[in-house]
Amino acid sequence: PTVNDPTWNDAVVNWSANGYRLPTDVEWMWAGMGAPADGQDGRISPNGISKVYAGSTEGSQQVKNIGNYAWYFSNSGNKTHPVGTKIPNELGLYDMSGNVWELCWDWNDDYPSGTLIDYRGPAPSTERVVHGGDIVSDVSYFYWECCIERRGTAYTFLPSNTCGFRVVRN
């Protein structure tokens, strides 16, 4: 489809169905942090991320061990790599902070103020939220390019070799 296709925003999620879908922005951040499933109640502050990148135990601007967990500019050779070739985070999820950006269900917009509870994003627009960083993210200058709280955007109707997705199950 193209950006002008009138059916582009017709995709919907049945939140009570037992099936697969894209994670919400908040769900992706919980998974990236390695948050335990029994503690995932949908509450998160956009500025309250407890980890810098998936698998880290380091402070807010320390990225000395990110190469153990992520493919990014300095170690990727400018190409994507098979999933599972780096160390997973605490939930056993690989490549949450590098290799390819990952699409989320949410359309791009600013977060609403306050605590987010089961937030499922704003009304449809033209760009979806992406997380995770990719093979050209440069952490040597900007640590946040691969950090969990970093949000990017993607036009889902354009092909990309640095954007992908992972699914979650209701």
Side-chain angles (χ1 to χ4, degrees), residues 8 16 23 33 47 84-85 114 116 121-123 127 132 138 140 152 156 167:
W8 183 248
S16 62
M33 282 191 300
N47 298 320
T85 55
L116 305 179
E127 299 173 310
D138 189 354
S140 62
T156 53
V167 295

Side-chain angles (χ1 to χ4, degrees), residues 29 44-50 111 149:
M29 286 191 287
I44 195 165
S45 165
N47 298 320
I49 303 299
S50 63
Y111 287 120
E149 67 181 309

Side-chain angles (χ1 to χ4, degrees), residues 7-27:
T7 62
W8 183 248
N9 295 334
D10 288 351
V12 296
V13 170
N14 179 346
W15 297 99
S16 62
N18 183 13
Y20 296 92
R21 60 177 171 78
L22 291 173
T24 65
D25 184 4
V26 173
E27 289 171 332

Side-chain angles (χ1 to χ4, degrees), residues 34-135:
D38 60 358
Q40 185 174 348
D41 62 356
R43 298 170 190 260
I44 195 165
S45 165
N47 298 320
I49 303 299
S50 63
K51 293 187 176 185
V52 178
Y53 56 87
S56 74
T57 57
E58 300 168 332
S60 66
Q61 294 189 24
Q62 299 172 356
V63 293
K64 61 185 175 198
N65 293 322
I66 191 169
N68 294 333
Y69 300 92
W71 294 107
Y72 58 98
F73 179 76
S74 297
N75 71 355
S76 71
N78 204 31
K79 64 179 183 173
T80 57
H81 295 267
V83 173
T85 55
K86 294 287 184 179
I87 299 171
N89 72 0
E90 297 82 351
L91 296 177
L93 300 173
Y94 294 89
D95 298 336
M96 295 293 288
S97 284
N99 209 11
V100 297
W101 288 99
E102 297 183 10
L103 286 170
C104 295
W105 175 254
D106 303 44
W107 295 96
N108 184 48
D109 202 353
D110 293 333
Y111 287 120
S113 61
T115 301
L116 305 179
I117 300 172
D118 293 329
Y119 182 65
R120 295 180 178 150
S125 64
T126 58
E127 299 173 310
R128 288 205 187 266
V129 170
V130 293
H131 277 287
D134 65 9
I135 57 171

